[in-house]
Amino acid sequence: MNGQQRARPDRRQIIKGAGVIGAVVVLLVGGGAIGWQVVTDRPSEPVTAERAGQDPSLEALAGAAVSGGPGKDGIPSVDRPRFVSARDAGFLADDDPVFGLKYRGEVRAYPQSVLVWHEIVNDTVGGEPLAVTYCPLTGTVIGFSAPPGMPELTFGTTGRLVNSNLLMYDRQTGSEWPQLLGTAISGPLKGKRLDTVPLVWTTWKEWRTAHPDTEVLSTDTGALRSYGSDPYGSYDSYPDRSGYYAEGGTLFPVLATSDRFPDKDVVIGVRAGDKRLAIHKDLVRTTGTVRAEIAGTQLEARWDDELDTAGVLQRAGAGDPWEIADHLDSMWFAWYAFYPNTQVRQ
């Protein structure tokens, strides 16, 4: 990719099985699920601006929406999720990716092999509505809840994409929300932002070992899908991927491109105030800890050996308590397309 557009196949050309035209992969990172070590007060490391400029306006994003192939709700959300115990999750192999959630006293795993076919799970966790969302084209998985003052929302798929990212709509107002952005770009709630809940992308063996009492989203979704396969390729044996997930360009247009990293390298995107930061995930994997400071906020990205993933903590200053930062894994091209003014730790 990076600057040149090729002829783009419809998503229907790369998805197989059960008559489905789209797919979904959800990588959830549960609040409080990362096993943090003691955080020290060593100084933050410098960050650099990727380039001067402004992030695209809501109007520009709305104007950039394109069809991904399926129509509205052609990729069906899971609206009545059913869960089984870890003991009864025989449909999962040890190396299967799952998205782990630890939230409001509940522990759940959402298998990638199920979510790749649905993209949205409208769930209730700890008595609170929570939408678990995944976009396979951008490798982003995010939990969403409505902030105070906003009505409780449930979501469906529009069948369209913005910056190759899932464009959701809420069924209460019809407003449209790019999943990575989490802000409505059109409709009555335009400009409103959802609260986010981080999720953990790990393997079934690692998650159930750390959380043997976990519940697991079952394949009993009410839809007939080939849940043992991923129509886009494979995330197995990270970072050795296959199919769409491997190296190469995107299938759909994006508003901005950068050669800073290969398009599909995974970065940890962090939002702090009105500033954005991208940390290459392999940097955290190899060094164990990456520190930075943006918008007056101290950040710590730390590698969790138990779950083989990374998470990010933040605090306002020395002596203040650490808390989970607003962060997510993302393919580099997608993070940059939404946030071309991002800062970078490489």
Side-chain angles (χ1 to χ4, degrees), residues 3-117:
Q4 291 191 349
Q5 296 293 337
R6 336 186 291 275
R8 298 183 300 273
D10 189 293
R11 264 206 292 180
R12 285 173 284 195
Q13 294 176 282
I14 62 170
I15 299 177
K16 302 176 183 178
V20 175
I21 333 177
V24 185
V25 182
V26 187
L27 56 101
L28 309 183
V29 183
I34 303 296
W36 300 106
Q37 303 172 13
V38 176
V39 178
T40 69
D41 288 323
R42 282 178 286 176
S44 300
E45 290 140 338
V47 297
T48 59
E50 173 57 20
R51 73 168 177 83
Q54 299 221 343
D55 296 341
S57 67
L58 301 182
E59 292 76 18
L61 291 169
V66 299
S67 172
K72 188 175 183 179
D73 291 320
I75 300 174
S77 60
V78 177
D79 296 329
R80 295 178 179 83
R82 295 176 174 86
F83 293 85
V84 297
S85 67
R87 182 180 60 255
D88 294 328
F91 59 95
L92 289 175
D94 283 351
D95 292 337
D96 284 352
V98 300
F99 311 113
L101 176 69
K102 189 177 179 184
Y103 185 65
R104 289 181 168 264
E106 298 195 25
V107 182
R108 293 184 178 174
Y110 300 81
Q112 184 263 0
S113 59
V114 175
L115 286 159
V116 73
W117 297 100

Side-chain angles (χ1 to χ4, degrees), residues 211-272:
H211 301 288
D213 59 340
T214 187
E215 293 184 312
V216 184
L217 179 68
S218 80
T219 57
D220 183 12
T221 63
L224 179 62
R225 298 293 184 267
S226 181
Y227 290 122
S229 64
D230 183 335
Y232 288 101
S234 174
Y235 268 107
D236 291 346
S237 303
Y238 180 93
D240 298 323
R241 306 190 187 114
S242 67
Y244 170 82
Y245 305 130
E247 293 182 1
T250 65
L251 292 175
F252 297 91
V254 295
L255 289 172
T257 61
S258 167
D259 291 322
R260 181 69 172 261
F261 303 120
D263 284 343
K264 293 173 185 174
D265 272 20
V266 177
V267 299
I268 304 169
V270 186
R271 294 178 281 225

Side-chain angles (χ1 to χ4, degrees), residues 89-277:
F91 59 95
L92 289 175
D94 283 351
D95 292 337
D96 284 352
V98 300
F99 311 113
L101 176 69
K102 189 177 179 184
Y103 185 65
R104 289 181 168 264
E106 298 195 25
V107 182
R108 293 184 178 174
Y110 300 81
Q112 184 263 0
S113 59
V114 175
L115 286 159
V116 73
W117 297 100
H118 296 282
E119 300 190 358
I120 298 172
V121 178
N122 288 301
D123 204 353
T124 300
V125 183
E128 175 185 303
L130 184 72
V132 173
T133 69
Y134 170 78
C135 179
L137 295 176
T138 55
T140 47
V141 59
I142 313 171
F144 289 117
S145 63
M150 188 183 294
E152 294 180 355
L153 303 174
T154 56
F155 296 89
T157 60
T158 64
R160 293 182 292 140
L161 304 163
V162 175
N163 285 330
S164 205
N165 178 245
L166 162 66
L167 183 62
M168 313 182 297
Y169 77 95
D170 72 75
R171 293 174 177 144
Q172 285 67 36
T173 75
S175 301
E176 296 184 337
W177 314 72
Q179 180 243 15
L180 194 154
L181 192 69
T183 299
I185 60 173
S186 67
L189 296 180
K190 179 181 176 181
K192 300 293 185 181
R193 187 159 183 254
L194 299 168
D195 286 343
T196 59
V197 176
L199 296 153
V200 179
W201 188 313
T202 184
T203 68
W204 172 231
K205 180 179 180 180
E206 288 161 337
W207 184 256
R208 79 166 185 271
T209 299
H211 301 288
D213 59 340
T214 187
E215 293 184 312
V216 184
L217 179 68
S218 80
T219 57
D220 183 12
T221 63
L224 179 62
R225 298 293 184 267
S226 181
Y227 290 122
S229 64
D230 183 335
Y232 288 101
S234 174
Y235 268 107
D236 291 346
S237 303
Y238 180 93
D240 298 323
R241 306 190 187 114
S242 67
Y244 170 82
Y245 305 130
E247 293 182 1
T250 65
L251 292 175
F252 297 91
V254 295
L255 289 172
T257 61
S258 167
D259 291 322
R260 181 69 172 261
F261 303 120
D263 284 343
K264 293 173 185 174
D265 272 20
V266 177
V267 299
I268 304 169
V270 186
R271 294 178 281 225
D274 61 353
K275 301 298 183 182
R276 306 292 179 255
L277 174 68

Side-chain angles (χ1 to χ4, degrees), residues 275-313:
K275 301 298 183 182
R276 306 292 179 255
L277 174 68
I279 307 170
H280 201 290
K281 192 169 184 178
D282 277 347
L283 178 64
V284 189
R285 185 192 301 272
T286 56
T287 64
T289 303
V290 175
R291 297 174 179 83
E293 182 172 331
I294 60 170
T297 300
Q298 296 180 15
L299 300 170
E300 288 256 0
R302 299 183 67 85
W303 193 257
D304 184 336
D305 288 327
E306 184 180 34
L307 294 175
D308 194 30
T309 194
V312 184
L313 292 174

